[in-house]
Amino acid sequence: MLSAADLAVARSALLWVRRQVAARHEPTAALDATITAIDTALTSGNGSPEQPPSHTGFVDVTEAARLLDVSDRHVRNLAPHIGGIKHAGRWIIPRSSLPED
């Protein structure tokens, strides 16, 4: 099973390949079918991202910013370095990586 980060990277790479093929104006049916199959696999049960962690152990960016006394933007920049997970386009931060309230 792919992690959410791995899935995002794989889908971005696939999108780049699709754009490169389209830019050459020579897409073949076999290549297009392969790209579609990969995209389907990435969004199917075998390639789906891990289930999001239980939100009880995580806080959103706004709450993390309040606890750290910094801006939301700064928390988004820190998130990958403090164990944050991007889920559905939003960062969630583990409570364990933040100071107590």
Side-chain angles (χ1 to χ4, degrees), residues 5-63:
D6 291 340
L7 181 62
V9 169
R11 295 206 69 199
S12 294
L14 184 61
L15 180 60
W16 181 85
V17 169
R18 189 178 294 244
R19 286 181 181 157
Q20 293 300 310
V21 168
R24 294 173 192 246
H25 303 292
E26 299 174 14
T28 65
L31 183 57
D32 192 47
T34 301
I35 291 171
T36 300
I38 293 169
D39 189 36
T40 301
L42 288 173
T43 56
S44 73
N46 291 339
S48 64
E50 298 169 352
Q51 291 299 315
S54 166
H55 289 290
T56 57
F58 289 81
V59 296
D60 64 5
V61 168
T62 303
E63 178 65 10

Side-chain angles (χ1 to χ4, degrees), residues 44-83:
S44 73
N46 291 339
S48 64
E50 298 169 352
Q51 291 299 315
S54 166
H55 289 290
T56 57
F58 289 81
V59 296
D60 64 5
V61 168
T62 303
E63 178 65 10
R66 186 187 66 76
L67 291 170
L68 294 171
D69 196 27
V70 297
S71 69
D72 288 9
R73 178 183 228 170
H74 190 66
V75 171
R76 284 191 295 274
N77 289 335
L78 286 175
H81 306 289
I82 59 174

